[in-house]
């Protein structure tokens, strides 16, 4: 679940995204201060909460950090507006330290590599186009569902016929100070703990 709030841009409205995929067509359904966003199958993919600050404390920034308190406030707001929807939220970090266990050339693209990256208790297949990615590196991985500082949401993808789950990040993509302009992933020191959270400013 991702939550966005921009009072200056769109007013006192909280935008809640419940899945990373954007449906081709959306079907809004209003109930009080809540507009449910449904796809063509009737599945709820998100909702907009109007008069949001009357339901929850919100910062001025566009991306709102998820917390148990905020989710409770949103759940209460849904109940008050007669919406029968239980919010299931993954609080695990979306930016984590990964270890590139293997790197192979992409079968259909000369400038892409297919990497197997360990991120704690799981391993991800990530297609990476950075020229400096190598086996044995510790890197920053944006998992599916992560929101980049640019506002881009990381989704499961297929690049030239190969599945990719997540992104190995550059310093520029992470909006790190003094990030180099040339292409290349951000390589972490060898003592970086694999699977630990990496703090990224929204």
């Amino acid at each position: 679940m991702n939550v966005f709030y921009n009072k200056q841009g769109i007013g006192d409205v909280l935008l809640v995204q419940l899945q990373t995929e954007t449906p081709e067509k959306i079907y809004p359904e209003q109930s009080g201060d809540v507009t449910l966003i449904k796809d063509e199958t009737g599945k709820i993919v998100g909702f907009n909460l109007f008069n949001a600050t009357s339901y929850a404390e919100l910062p001025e920034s566009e991306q709102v950090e998820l917390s148990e308190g905020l989710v409770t406030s949103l759940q209460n707001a849904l109940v008050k507006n007669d919406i029968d929807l239980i919010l299931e939220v993954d609080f695990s970090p979306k930016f984590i330290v990964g270890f590139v266990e293997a790197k192979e050339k992409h079968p259909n693209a000369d400038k892409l590599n297919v990497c197997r990256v360990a991120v704690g208790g799981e391993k991800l297949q990530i297609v990476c186009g950075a020229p400096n990615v190598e086996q044995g590196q510790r890197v920053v991985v944006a998992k599916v569902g992560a929101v980049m500082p640019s506002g881009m949401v990381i989704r499961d993808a297929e690049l030239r016929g190969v599945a990719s789950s997540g992104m190995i990040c550059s310093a520029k993509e992470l909006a790190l100070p003094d990030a180099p302009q040339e292409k290349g992933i951000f390589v972490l020191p060898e003592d970086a703990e694999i699977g630990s959270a990496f703090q990224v400013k929204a």
Side-chain angles (χ1 to χ4, degrees), residues 67-96:
S67 66
E68 291 185 16
L70 176 60
V71 172
T72 298
S73 296
L74 293 178
Q75 190 69 71
N76 290 338
L78 293 172
V79 171
K80 288 178 183 177
N81 287 277
D82 299 319
I83 302 293
D84 184 17
L85 173 66
I86 303 299
L87 298 176
E88 297 178 359
V89 182
D90 176 12
F91 287 107
S92 65
K94 294 295 180 282
F95 293 92
I96 51 180

Side-chain angles (χ1 to χ4, degrees), residues 35 43 45 53 66 83 92 99 103 118-119 124 132 140 147 149 161 163-164 185 200:
T35 298
K43 180 181 178 183
V45 297
T53 51
L66 276 181
I83 302 293
S92 65
F99 179 75
K103 180 190 100 169
V119 286
L124 304 175
N132 65 327
V140 179
V147 180
S164 182
I185 59 166
V200 175

